[in-house]
């Protein structure tokens, strides 16, 4: 048997732990394992390398992806898909493990529909997949954001300023929501809910009157323009307001234990599923248990906002 593994879309801390687990599980079971460089782009180009146990040595703690990642428009076309399938056939690959987010899973589903046995491992800092409680990379990014919020709180308190902090997440507010709870943010603005700048300003003024020195407004990137929000807030409160866009710093760094554990567990499970002749499954975590679900179902599961966390943020940031 021959298997292959690729990473696709935005990189996420923990991808290397996943590649390592897939590789080592395959080798443990005497299966040949190939790494496909740069996601579907590398697959189309036939950029494959044979992996050995040592190829993934000293990688469990590393951020990014040792295989490289890419976004490939060509793979979305019929012709691109055909080229990719042809490469897999030429190499005699029996199954592929795809590590990525929802876009990558749409590609994985197409491979599965075309007879390539394919399993997906959810890797994205956005935590925007509805079928799994958490995605690999989210917890590490959350640590990075929480740490940055702590730094901004220091300087915000010292100067009596407000700061509007933009965090990643595409259309999902989870990084903003969880970091507001972990970092003690005053207000959050997320795509899942309308925001009212008057309410945010009123809360800030009340805090100021009680002697609050800082004001942290955490904005998910998909929820609005941080510079516009900061301007409106400043006009309404007369509190000097700075903007910090955290950007790609959130994507890097050594994965935390939880992301490594999820990636390792899912990597091993993916190979076991392929060995048993399974295909077309996305792996996930529900209530602390490893689950598998057909790509179609997984991709159609709506992502829900955790209202309990939202309520907690609102109560604690009074
Ligand atoms: P992520 O996997 O992090 O969500 P993207 O949305 O950029 O990242 O998707 C990664 C890659 O997956 C795309 O560049 C493309 O090659 C592939 N992909 C995305 N959507 C589709 C689709 N509908 N059909 C086939 N391939 C897709
Ligand atoms: O999907 C992960 C993510 O970091 C999003 O949070 C963000 O919107 C996007 O990728 C940024 O993409 P790029 O790295 O291509 O700028």
């Amino acid at each position: 048997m021959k298997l292959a593994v690729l990473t696709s879309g935005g990189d996420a801390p923990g991808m290397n732990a996943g590649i390592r687990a897939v590789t080592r599980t395959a080798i443990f079971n005497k299966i040949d394992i190939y790494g496909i460089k740069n996601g579907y782009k590398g697959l189309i180009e036939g950029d494959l390398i044979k992996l050995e146990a040592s190829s993934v040595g000293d990688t469990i703690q590393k951020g990014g992806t040792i295989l490289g990642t890419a976004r490939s428009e060509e793979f979305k076309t019929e012709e691109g898909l055909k080229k990719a399938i042809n490469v897999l056939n030429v190499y005699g690959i029996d199954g592929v493990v795809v590590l990525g987010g929802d876009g990558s899973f749409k590609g994985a589903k197409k491979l599965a529909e075309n007879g390539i046995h394919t399993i997906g491992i959810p890797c994205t800092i956005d935590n925007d997949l509805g079928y799994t409680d958490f995605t690999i990379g989210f917890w590490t990014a959350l640590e990075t954001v929480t740490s940055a919020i702590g730094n901004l709180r220091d300087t915000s308190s010292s100067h009596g300023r407000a700061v509007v902090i933009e965090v990643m997440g595409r259309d999902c507010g989870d990084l903003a929501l969880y970091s507001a709870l972990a970092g003690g943010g005053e207000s959050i603005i997320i795509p899942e809910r309308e925001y009212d700048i008057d309410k945010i300003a009123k809360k800030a003024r009340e805090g100021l009157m009680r002697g609050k020195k800082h004001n942290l407004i955490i904005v998910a990137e998909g929820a609005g323009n941080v510079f516009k929000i900061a301007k409106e807030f400043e006009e309404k409160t007369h509190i000097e307001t700075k903007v910090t866009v955290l950007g790609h710093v959130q994507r890097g760094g050594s994965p935390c234990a939880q992301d490594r554990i999820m990636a390792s567990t899912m990597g091993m499970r993916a190979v076991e599923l392929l060995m048993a002749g399974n295909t077309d499954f996305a792996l996930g975590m529900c209530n602390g248990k490893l689950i598998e679900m057909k790509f179609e179902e997984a991709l159609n599961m709506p992502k829900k906002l955790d209202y309990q966390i939202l309520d907690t943020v609102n109560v604690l940031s009074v």
Side-chain angles (χ1 to χ4, degrees):
M1 196 175 196
K2 275 188 196 171
L3 300 180
V5 55
L6 65 82
T7 50
S8 164
D11 61 344
M15 277 181 160
N16 287 328
I19 297 166
R20 174 181 176 270
V22 169
T23 305
R24 295 260 166 102
T25 308
I27 289 167
F28 181 86
N29 289 289
K30 314 236 176 313
I31 291 169
D32 282 349
I33 176 80
Y34 287 82
I36 301 165
K37 303 286 261 327
N38 305 318
Y40 297 124
K41 179 174 174 285
L43 177 56
I44 289 171
E45 292 164 357
D47 196 358
L48 279 72
I49 46 161
K50 181 109 189 314
L51 296 173
E52 309 298 339
S54 60
S55 315
V56 290
D58 200 25
T59 62
I60 195 167
Q61 79 287 9
K62 289 194 174 133
T65 158
I66 55 164
L67 289 176
T69 186
R71 295 194 164 104
S72 166
E73 282 305 309
E74 191 183 357
F75 183 74
K76 291 186 184 172
T77 64
E78 275 297 312
E79 207 182 315
L81 181 64
K82 262 193 205 148
K83 279 190 201 167
I85 290 168
N86 182 49
V87 169
L88 292 169
N89 289 335
V90 167
Y91 273 83
I93 303 288
D94 302 295
V96 181
V97 181
V98 172
L99 289 90
D102 66 335
S104 304
F105 278 14
K106 284 177 195 155
K109 180 171 169 277
K110 287 207 177 141
L111 287 178
E113 283 165 359
N114 283 275
I116 306 291
H117 284 203
T118 308
I119 305 289
I121 297 182
C123 295
T124 165
I125 66 162
D126 299 342
N127 204 35
D128 58 352
L129 290 163
Y131 78 96
T132 178
D133 289 347
F134 296 107
T135 55
I136 293 160
F138 172 71
W139 290 103
T140 306
L142 181 61
E143 284 297 333
T144 306
V145 175
T146 305
S147 164
I149 290 174
N151 291 7
L152 291 166
R153 173 193 285 274
D154 290 345
T155 174
S156 176
S157 296
S158 303
H159 286 264
R161 286 171 177 159
V163 56
V164 176
I165 307 161
E166 184 188 288
V167 305
M168 279 186 168
R170 277 198 188 170
D171 301 323
C172 177
D174 273 20
L175 261 182
L177 181 67
Y178 282 75
S179 65
L181 184 56
E186 271 62 42
S187 302
I188 58 165
I189 297 181
I190 50 177
E192 293 87 344
R193 304 242 311 177
E194 293 275 311
Y195 72 95
D196 181 345
I197 198 74
D198 290 316
K199 271 194 192 156
I200 294 173
K202 182 168 173 278
K203 192 177 185 181
R205 280 195 301 269
E206 286 167 1
L208 191 66
M209 282 194 289
R210 291 197 313 270
K212 201 174 229 188
K213 291 265 168 70
H214 60 268
N215 210 283
L216 310 170
I217 301 159
I218 301 164
V219 181
E221 63 177 347
N225 182 304
V226 272
F227 294 96
K228 187 169 156 269
I229 292 167
K231 191 164 174 278
E232 279 176 355
F233 177 84
E234 199 169 49
E235 280 167 6
K236 287 187 188 290
T237 59
H238 304 291
I239 299 171
E240 187 188 4
T241 306
K242 296 281 179 183
V243 171
T244 296
V245 177
L246 291 181
H248 286 82
V249 72
Q250 298 161 92
R251 284 251 293 272
S254 178
C256 67
Q258 181 151 355
D259 284 332
R260 295 184 201 190
I261 289 167
M262 269 205 300
S264 301
T265 317
M266 288 186 190
M268 180 166 154
R269 181 78 184 131
V271 173
E272 286 174 350
L273 284 170
L274 290 170
M275 280 166 59
N278 292 287
T279 180
D280 189 16
F281 279 120
L283 299 183
M285 278 287 169
C286 279
N287 302 320
K289 293 259 180 297
L290 190 56
I291 57 135
E292 56 240 9
M293 197 179 282
K294 289 284 171 189
F295 281 125
E296 173 78 16
E297 198 186 346
L299 285 167
N300 283 317
M301 195 81 89
K303 170 73 187 169
K304 290 199 191 109
L305 183 69
D306 190 327
Y307 280 93
Q308 201 176 353
I309 306 246
L310 183 65
D311 283 349
T312 315
V313 170
N314 286 337
V315 170
L316 302 189
S317 63
V318 68

